[in-house]
Amino acid sequence: MKRVLVTGAAGFLGSHLCDRFIKEGFYVIGMDNLITGNMENIEHLMALENFEFYHHDVSNYVHVPGNLDYILHFASPASPIDYLKIPIQTLKVGSLGTHNLLGLARAKSARMLIASTSEVYGDPLIHPQTEEYYGNVNPVGPRGVYDEAKRFQEAITMAYHTFHGLETRIVRIFNTYGPRMRLNDGRVLPAFIGQALRGEDLTVFGDGSQTRSFCYVDDQVEGIYRLLMSDYPHPVNIGNPDEITISQFAEEIIKLTGTDQKVIYKPLPKDDPMQRQPNITKAKEILGWEPKVDRKVGLKITYDYFKSLPEEKLYKKEHKDFSKYNK
């Protein structure tokens, strides 16, 4: 039985990846320090014989007994509301965490895939974004802690590939959504649905003309899996190129939820990207991948998930108290 380590296993994407590898017949080792992850996302796996969980911070030395075939590094805060509160931890998991896992991959002769992000492109000056674009990132702005952690993560991963001959893969993930997202994680899709379910006005930052491209989680996981199993070591965009403005998206959510809230506008946060759309030519050509789930279908599934949450979760404003991590 092939063995895979998934870091960030209790997070949104990490938990869906654990599900996929279990389904494919792997022995899955999940690892998470639970700073932003939630054990509820993987509790359905805990009783399985081919799943085990380590409560561990990969920014510290990582030891996993036995052989490993694959490592997927998905440990990192991923929403602005988190990484602005825990900036040092965000930088450490992208740098020290990646270094520790690359060392583990080398010791185990494992193939390692890192979760990079469309944020490496910053507020892009070309559109849509291709993998060859170097980006327009402010390293000392508030979002720099996440953007630069991911850019460093790519650089050290490629260095291990070229210098040590390690088998590595780099996925640049664009906006992804689906069940197990946190309602209050600061990203536009759960924020809008949460506001609609609570009867609040929908908050748009800026004038609403900025764009995003939303990929349903099953499509994202399929793209990641295909990239891991490919022989392509360079970055690949995985996302849905179906672009929409935030104002149009707000109207979609109001229609989906059957609510009649107003849309209110607030100032745009510093360095918030105005356009986000992947060029997925490489994914199509190299992996034979493109998204299949229509946004209307994916949003309905996601909305039903959020609607099923207990009221205390719907009205919970703070995800976690990060004070113990920031001493």
Side-chain angles (χ1 to χ4, degrees):
M1 190 181 279
K2 296 275 190 184
R3 286 163 53 93
V4 59
L5 169 66
V6 179
T7 73
F12 162 53
L13 259 180
S15 64
H16 283 281
L17 282 163
C18 289
D19 287 345
R20 175 63 185 265
F21 282 101
I22 291 287
K23 187 179 160 193
E24 296 287 348
F26 284 75
Y27 188 95
V28 178
I29 301 157
M31 188 174 284
D32 205 301
N33 68 347
L34 304 178
I35 188 169
T36 60
N38 188 337
M39 285 300 291
E40 289 178 12
N41 290 336
I42 52 171
E43 63 185 0
H44 62 288
L45 301 175
M46 297 300 282
L48 299 180
E49 286 186 1
N50 57 333
F51 181 80
E52 63 178 306
F53 178 74
Y54 287 77
H55 183 193
H56 182 71
D57 183 347
V58 297
S59 298
N60 301 317
Y61 177 76
V62 180
H63 171 67
V64 175
N67 67 300
L68 273 180
D69 297 286
Y70 302 104
I71 298 172
L72 287 90
H73 183 23
F74 277 71
S76 175
S79 79
I81 215 165
D82 289 340
Y83 59 68
L84 296 178
K85 288 180 180 176
I86 41 173
I88 309 300
Q89 288 79 5
T90 302
L91 284 158
K92 283 171 74 175
V93 75
S95 55
L96 301 176
T98 306
H99 185 222
N100 288 335
L101 290 161
L102 285 163
L104 179 67
R106 196 170 167 226
K108 303 282 188 183
S109 300
R111 180 180 300 176
M112 178 158 150
L113 179 145
I114 61 158
S116 188
T117 170
S118 59
E119 297 300 323
V120 300
Y121 301 123
D123 188 7
L125 302 177
I126 71 158
H127 195 69
Q129 292 81 57
T130 67
E131 290 86 350
E132 287 72 31
Y133 178 52
Y134 295 155
N136 177 37
V137 174
N138 177 2
V140 295
R143 299 172 73 98
V145 297
Y146 182 69
D147 302 357
E148 294 297 355
K150 292 297 189 180
R151 286 160 71 93
F152 174 84
Q153 185 181 43
E154 288 195 11
I156 193 171
T157 298
M158 190 49 70
Y160 264 74
H161 172 72
T162 54
F163 189 77
H164 289 305
L166 191 68
E167 282 202 46
T168 57
R169 308 289 179 263
I170 300 172
V171 58
R172 288 184 181 158
I173 296 168
F174 282 68
N175 295 75
T176 304
Y177 70 98
R180 301 183 198 154
M181 287 190 95
R182 275 193 355 248
L183 265 178
N184 56 349
D185 83 346
R187 286 182 272 199
V188 64
L189 190 149
F192 279 176
I193 293 181
Q195 287 171 329
L197 285 171
R198 291 189 296 266
E200 300 167 1
D201 293 332
L202 271 58
T203 307
V204 170
F205 294 97
D207 64 5
S209 64
Q210 67 269 41
T211 67
R212 295 293 182 268
S213 309
F214 298 101
C215 184
Y216 187 64
V217 64
D218 289 359
D219 283 334
Q220 182 65 240
V221 166
E222 177 65 27
I224 292 165
Y225 187 83
R226 289 191 189 194
L227 177 59
L228 177 70
M229 298 305 170
S230 77
D231 58 2
Y232 190 74
H234 301 286
V236 177
N237 291 336
I238 299 290
N240 193 323
D242 185 11
E243 187 183 26
I244 185 173
T245 71
I246 297 300
S247 286
Q248 289 169 330
F249 188 58
E251 296 302 325
E252 274 193 12
I253 295 296
I254 289 169
K255 189 175 174 187
L256 169 73
T257 57
T259 50
D260 57 359
Q261 285 96 322
K262 299 196 305 288
V263 176
I264 58 173
Y265 294 85
K266 290 189 175 179
L268 191 69
K270 183 172 170 56
D271 298 328
D272 200 52
M274 287 302 294
Q275 289 183 305
R276 189 62 88 230
Q277 183 191 22
N279 179 313
I280 59 167
T281 303
K282 273 195 169 61
K284 284 180 176 176
E285 290 177 353
I286 296 165
L287 311 177
W289 176 89
E290 60 184 316
K292 299 276 194 288
V293 180
D294 182 76
R295 190 168 63 244
K296 188 180 283 189
V297 174
L299 281 178
K300 175 74 170 65
I301 298 167
T302 309
Y303 174 57
D304 288 344
Y305 166 77
F306 283 135
K307 211 164 50 169
S308 73
L309 293 176
E311 219 168 70
E312 66 266 22
K313 284 199 175 175
L314 183 59
Y315 287 91
K316 189 179 182 184
K317 292 292 183 193
E318 285 294 320
H319 166 54
K320 273 197 177 172
D321 177 9
F322 292 121
S323 55
K324 72 175 182 179
Y325 298 102
N326 288 329
K327 288 174 182 171

